Amino acid sequence: MFLSKIYEKMGSAAAVFAIVLLALVVNAPAAEPAPPRTGDAEILRLVAGKSVTIATSERIKRVSIAAPKIADITVLSSRQVYITGKAAGSTNLTIWQTGGKTTIRDIEVVSDIIGLKQRLQEILPDEKDIRVIAMPGSITLSGRVSSAANLSQAVALAEAYAPKGKVLNFLEAGGVHQVMLEVRVAEMSRSLLKRLGINFNYVRGGDFGIMSLGGLGTLDELTGGGVMEFNLADSVNALFRFHKGSATWTGLIDALKEDGLVKILAEPTLIALSGQTADFLAGGEFPVPVPEDDGTITIEYKTFGVGLSFAPIVLSKDKINITVAPEVSELDYSMSVKFGGYIVPGLTTRRASTVVELADGQSFAIAGLLKETIRDDITRYPFLGKIPVLGVLFRSRTFLKNETELVIIATPHLAKPLDMAKQTVPTDFYIEPDDMEFHLMGLMEGREKNRPRAVEGELDGDFGHAIPSFE
């Protein structure tokens, strides 16, 4: 009935075409639905350079790997896929099977940590608490090691196995990581001074003559009464005077020989954490003018004295690496300069820097820092001072010799916190005097009655005697 109506309305040719088209639409197969996913992707972990075989429940139609540089795939049969890890990283594998089933596997390729664990066991057999975790693109170390030296060895070994040397270090080093450095800086200075100066003064009424080499004597201006005032320097140690008529001759002689011995000793004690730097300075600062761009002058301060800088590294319980840089400097006005109305002194400096490895309590010394200075000054009148024998009367001479030797001794110790209750300081033994002891008896400290309990002796442990029982 339906086809006859179409034929009546459209004619014979059009009706035939419509019938054919309707038949094609009715008999066309339905569109193939998307293959269902198996659910959450399964993670497959591989070691670089090793392989694994995956079997499927259905026949394999097609396989695909997202990153061929990380893993390679080979179809062995209609139901087996061979996967080989190539480089550390992450990718995924997709397998299409018959019946519309699709399997997706996330693949993680990691470094070979089995070999790393074996090397760690061979090189560091006593380190039992090191944990190694392989991750895509890196290796993670965690746990605890006995010393900083073993920690650095474990990290260096892991870098050889990690991709591109990337190691995440979460290891904790045990042992003591604080170092106390005891330093003794001893300097012995010996000086020798020889000085000879001769001056003459002549006074006769309003006429006078003076020779003032070395400043042994000076003449002031005439007073209102016409009397010449003559002054002597503090360095004069011999004086003679004689009169001839109205004239007076005065001779000044300064002959001196001095020996000096100076001892300088500093004993700083510093504590620093392993890998950190500690500094010490026993001295002072002196101002140095610094010109600015706008024409003003600012003041900066430079340090001088006995200084020390050290940086320890605890390698193990039996070995400490120390970088020590001691310095001894003093002001030297013989090298001073004048700038902007300021006098800036120079510095005489002796400095040393060394790196050593010692055990706890061992010492090392830096010696041979010697300094010798010789200075010889001659002041004389022209021509007269060169006359043989008599020229001595017309010249002044000073000879100065200074010898200095510096010795530095350093001793490192592994430092642990102390129990404050068991420590004493000098003030613990000071007893404040009462009014009677201070005013009447003149005591600077009180008597033993006020001694604190902390400094009294006490029995420690079991003491006394026991009588055996024969019951």
Side-chain angles (χ1 to χ4, degrees), residues 24 27 62 112 132 144 196 206 217 223 284 317 367-368 381 384 389-390 401 403 417 419 442 445 454 471:
L24 292 176
N27 297 325
R62 182 161 58 97
D112 184 10
V132 183
R144 185 180 179 87
L196 177 63
T223 62
K317 62 179 181 179
Y381 276 100
L384 296 179
V389 183
L390 294 179
K401 181 179 180 181
E403 297 177 347
D419 185 1
E445 294 186 32
E471 295 180 359

Side-chain angles (χ1 to χ4, degrees), residues 78 181 201 217 296 319 327 393-394 418 468:
S78 60
L181 186 67
N201 291 278
T296 61
K319 187 180 297 184
E327 176 180 325
L393 302 177
F394 299 96
L418 301 176

Side-chain angles (χ1 to χ4, degrees), residues 31 37 69 82 133 148 180 182 209 233 247 255 269 290 295 312 317 348 396 411 451 454:
R37 185 165 174 158
K69 293 183 178 180
Y82 186 75
I133 302 174
M180 179 181 69
E182 296 179 350
T269 299
V290 178
K317 62 179 181 179
T348 300
S396 177
T411 306
R451 179 176 292 273

Side-chain angles (χ1 to χ4, degrees), residues 30-247:
E32 182 178 356
R37 185 165 174 158
T38 58
D40 296 336
E42 301 178 10
I43 299 177
L44 176 64
R45 289 182 174 85
L46 290 177
V47 177
K50 297 186 178 182
S51 59
V52 68
T53 301
I54 296 179
T56 62
S57 59
E58 303 291 339
R59 297 175 61 88
I60 298 173
K61 294 174 58 178
R62 182 161 58 97
V63 294
S64 175
I65 189 87
K69 293 183 178 180
I70 296 178
D72 190 15
I73 57 174
T74 303
V75 179
L76 299 179
S77 65
S78 60
R79 294 188 179 184
Q80 285 186 331
V81 178
Y82 186 75
I83 307 174
T84 303
K86 298 175 64 176
S90 300
T91 184
N92 61 355
L93 171 67
T94 305
I95 303 176
W96 288 271
Q97 308 173 43
T98 59
K101 185 178 180 181
T102 302
T103 302
I104 299 177
R105 287 279 188 96
D106 288 338
I107 299 177
E108 290 185 356
V109 180
V110 297
S111 301
D112 184 10
I113 62 173
I114 297 178
L116 173 60
K117 291 180 179 180
Q118 292 177 348
R119 300 291 88 78
L120 288 174
Q121 181 63 28
E122 293 174 359
I123 297 176
L124 303 173
D126 296 331
E127 303 297 344
K128 307 295 184 181
D129 297 330
I130 299 178
R131 294 187 294 272
V132 183
I133 302 174
M135 302 178 64
S138 65
I139 290 179
T140 301
L141 298 179
S142 62
R144 185 180 179 87
V145 292
S146 60
S147 64
N150 290 351
L151 187 149
S152 60
Q153 292 180 14
V155 173
L157 190 61
E159 289 176 349
Y161 285 83
K164 298 182 181 180
K166 187 175 181 180
V167 177
L168 301 180
N169 180 20
F170 297 104
L171 288 172
E172 179 183 354
V176 180
H177 298 280
Q178 292 184 140
V179 177
M180 179 181 69
L181 186 67
E182 296 179 350
V183 181
R184 300 184 66 191
V185 181
E187 182 179 12
M188 189 67 71
S189 176
R190 181 182 296 276
S191 62
L192 173 64
L193 174 64
K194 297 179 181 179
R195 186 172 64 203
L196 177 63
I198 299 177
N199 282 188
F200 289 100
N201 291 278
Y202 171 79
V203 179
R204 180 179 181 181
D207 300 329
F208 65 91
I210 182 173
M211 183 177 70
S212 58
L213 290 177
L216 300 182
T218 59
L219 287 175
D220 293 342
E221 295 181 358
L222 290 173
T223 62
V227 180
M228 182 70 65
E229 294 290 339
F230 180 68
N231 297 320
L232 298 179
D234 296 336
S235 58
V236 173
N237 54 40
L239 173 66
F240 63 90
R241 178 176 296 179
F242 60 89
H243 299 273
K244 184 178 181 181
S246 61

